[in-house]
Amino acid sequence: MGVLAHYFDGIGQYEVAATLSGFATTTFATNYVPEIQIAITHLREALGEGAYASFAGRGATMTNAVMAKYALEQIDLVRAELLHADESP
């Protein structure tokens, strides 16, 4: 989820990225996937501390199943946007 958070941050989907980062921010994850901390730092700047904390807090409370469903839904939305962009003249 940390890698996904970094990806969504990179494409400007800040709310999604913040939600994913809230779930992914563990000592293990931040030690082994430094991209998480990079994304979190940027998200705090882009969203503001209060908004980031709200989205991250939501992600932190999600169960594994709920987070997996959320992540897959967000991936599907981005995929659909990209496919639609490819079809545009």
Side-chain angles (χ1 to χ4, degrees):
M1 292 303 162
V3 173
L4 277 176
H6 185 257
Y7 172 77
F8 277 101
D9 176 45
I11 64 169
Q13 298 286 328
Y14 301 141
E15 294 86 1
V16 175
T19 303
L20 292 167
S21 75
F23 181 83
T25 304
T26 65
T27 303
F28 178 81
T30 55
N31 283 333
Y32 293 101
V33 185
E35 292 87 355
I36 296 171
Q37 200 56 49
I38 294 166
I40 290 170
T41 300
H42 179 255
L43 291 166
R44 284 187 166 132
E45 292 172 3
L47 295 170
E49 187 61 39
Y52 171 78
S54 177
F55 288 113
R58 183 175 145 219
T61 63
M62 290 181 175
T63 64
N64 291 345
V66 171
M67 177 50 74
K69 181 180 179 193
Y70 175 78
L72 290 171
E73 288 170 351
Q74 297 307 312
I75 291 167
D76 285 344
L77 289 171
V78 168
R79 183 179 292 133
E81 287 177 20
L82 291 173
L83 288 173
H84 181 66
D86 286 345
E87 295 170 357
S88 297

